[in-house]
Amino acid sequence: MDISSIGVVGAGQMGNGIAHVCALAGYDVMMTDISADALDKAVALIDRNIARQVGRGKVSEAEMAAAMARIRTTTKLAELGQTDLIIEAATERETVKQAIFEDLLPHLKPTTILTSNTSSISITRLASRTDRPEKFMGFHFMNPVPVMQLVELIRGIATDEETFAACKSVVDRLGKTAATAEDFPAFIVNRILMPMINEAVYTLYEGVGNVTSIDMAMKLGTNHPMGPLELADFIGLDTCLAIMNVLHDGLADTKYRPCPLLTKYVEAGWLGRKTQRGFYDYRGEVPVPTR
């Protein structure tokens, strides 16, 4: 299937990154969000980020101008219906994602492929709520999208080979690398990453080390570019908790039980960088540990 237009649902951290790379790769992009202000901010951020790439010599001025011209925005979800491929990048809550797909269905072309950027939720279950489970799959980008090389492609039980091949061709055109994952809770990356982050939170919770010591130990002791608590703040503590709950519920194993301290931070609204407080306080010039 020839894909020339891509619809992106959500103008947040992941959605604007996906729109960014798709537009640079030559796709016509329609990005939607419930907030017009969020869309304006997303387009401005994409413009700044591509300008940064121009400054580093990775993108030409002409390529930037062409990419920005390919991005259109709308607050009307139905307007995405005529695109060839839709990538849902809304919040990591299954009820929200299901509602989006149900609202899209009456407006889709028969050939439109539906995908979700979910980092943990069952693709088979999401697909079952649509009229085209064979044309539905997981399309999981890593954050930040313009920088990270990997995309996880996840088939649902009904996903056909043509749909997988079409999505794989998009990944190739984006200049990224696809890893194929089976439809199990959290797939590959987060099945491994999130329990590590959760264990780091337990290490903090139990007083084994403070925030600074835990992050320094993992950066200098295992050569990680970011400590696990710093990374959790970057991802969003609400997202980390949601993925741990999916793992705990889906695999029924106590080793995936979310740390109570992670739950407490989320209940406090301390979600990391996006709220200016998490395991670090970002409201000053330099991030300061909160514990």
Side-chain angles (χ1 to χ4, degrees), residues 110-230:
T111 56
T112 297
I113 293 173
L114 292 176
T115 69
S116 176
N117 184 59
T118 179
S119 52
S120 61
I121 297 168
S122 168
I123 299 303
T124 297
R125 196 163 60 239
L126 288 173
S128 71
R129 301 291 292 269
T130 76
D131 63 355
R132 60 195 69 204
E134 72 287 348
K135 293 188 178 298
F136 192 111
M137 66 182 298
F139 209 137
H140 181 212
F141 289 85
M142 305 297 123
N143 185 36
V145 179
V147 175
M148 300 298 280
Q149 183 66 23
L150 184 72
V151 178
E152 280 184 310
L153 293 180
I154 307 101
R155 291 182 178 93
I157 194 171
T159 307
D160 62 28
E161 191 57 38
E162 182 184 17
T163 298
F164 177 84
C167 290
K168 174 65 165 57
S169 71
V170 172
V171 175
D172 293 342
R173 183 166 160 182
L174 296 179
K176 297 190 180 294
T177 302
T180 304
E182 294 300 318
D183 188 19
F184 285 92
F187 320 128
I188 296 172
V189 172
N190 283 316
R191 172 75 176 265
I192 298 167
L193 174 64
M194 286 302 160
M196 184 196 75
I197 288 175
N198 193 52
E199 194 62 30
V201 183
Y202 266 115
T203 305
L204 178 65
Y205 178 62
E206 294 169 2
V208 179
N210 59 27
V211 169
T212 301
S213 295
I214 292 166
D215 277 352
M216 184 186 301
M218 293 304 291
K219 285 193 284 187
L220 301 184
T222 62
N223 207 28
H224 287 198
M226 298 173 73
L229 302 176
E230 181 186 5

Side-chain angles (χ1 to χ4, degrees), residues 16-195:
N16 74 64
I18 293 167
H20 171 153
V21 298
C22 289
L24 269 181
Y27 291 106
D28 292 325
V29 176
M30 174 73 79
M31 181 168 52
T32 188
D33 198 280
I34 57 174
S35 165
D37 184 54
L39 289 167
D40 291 341
K41 289 179 178 177
V43 172
L45 181 58
I46 293 168
D47 188 81
R48 288 197 302 274
N49 287 340
I50 299 180
R52 199 171 291 126
Q53 291 176 292
V54 172
R56 292 172 183 162
K58 295 184 177 181
V59 174
S60 70
E61 292 277 3
E63 288 171 329
M64 175 178 175
M68 294 306 299
R70 292 187 192 105
I71 299 172
R72 293 181 295 152
T73 64
T74 179
T75 55
K76 298 177 181 177
L77 187 63
E79 292 187 15
L80 269 63
Q82 295 307 301
T83 56
D84 301 320
L85 167 69
I86 292 176
I87 304 172
E88 172 273 315
T91 186
E92 192 69 358
R93 285 165 47 199
E94 187 167 351
T95 53
V96 172
K97 295 179 184 298
Q98 287 174 343
I100 287 168
F101 290 122
E102 288 172 1
D103 288 347
L104 274 169
L105 291 182
H107 310 287
L108 299 178
K109 298 188 299 183
T111 56
T112 297
I113 293 173
L114 292 176
T115 69
S116 176
N117 184 59
T118 179
S119 52
S120 61
I121 297 168
S122 168
I123 299 303
T124 297
R125 196 163 60 239
L126 288 173
S128 71
R129 301 291 292 269
T130 76
D131 63 355
R132 60 195 69 204
E134 72 287 348
K135 293 188 178 298
F136 192 111
M137 66 182 298
F139 209 137
H140 181 212
F141 289 85
M142 305 297 123
N143 185 36
V145 179
V147 175
M148 300 298 280
Q149 183 66 23
L150 184 72
V151 178
E152 280 184 310
L153 293 180
I154 307 101
R155 291 182 178 93
I157 194 171
T159 307
D160 62 28
E161 191 57 38
E162 182 184 17
T163 298
F164 177 84
C167 290
K168 174 65 165 57
S169 71
V170 172
V171 175
D172 293 342
R173 183 166 160 182
L174 296 179
K176 297 190 180 294
T177 302
T180 304
E182 294 300 318
D183 188 19
F184 285 92
F187 320 128
I188 296 172
V189 172
N190 283 316
R191 172 75 176 265
I192 298 167
L193 174 64
M194 286 302 160

Side-chain angles (χ1 to χ4, degrees), residues 248-263:
H248 191 224
D249 295 344
L251 299 173
D253 193 321
T254 56
K255 73 179 181 180
Y256 298 115
R257 182 173 70 95
C259 179
L261 184 60
L262 177 60
T263 302

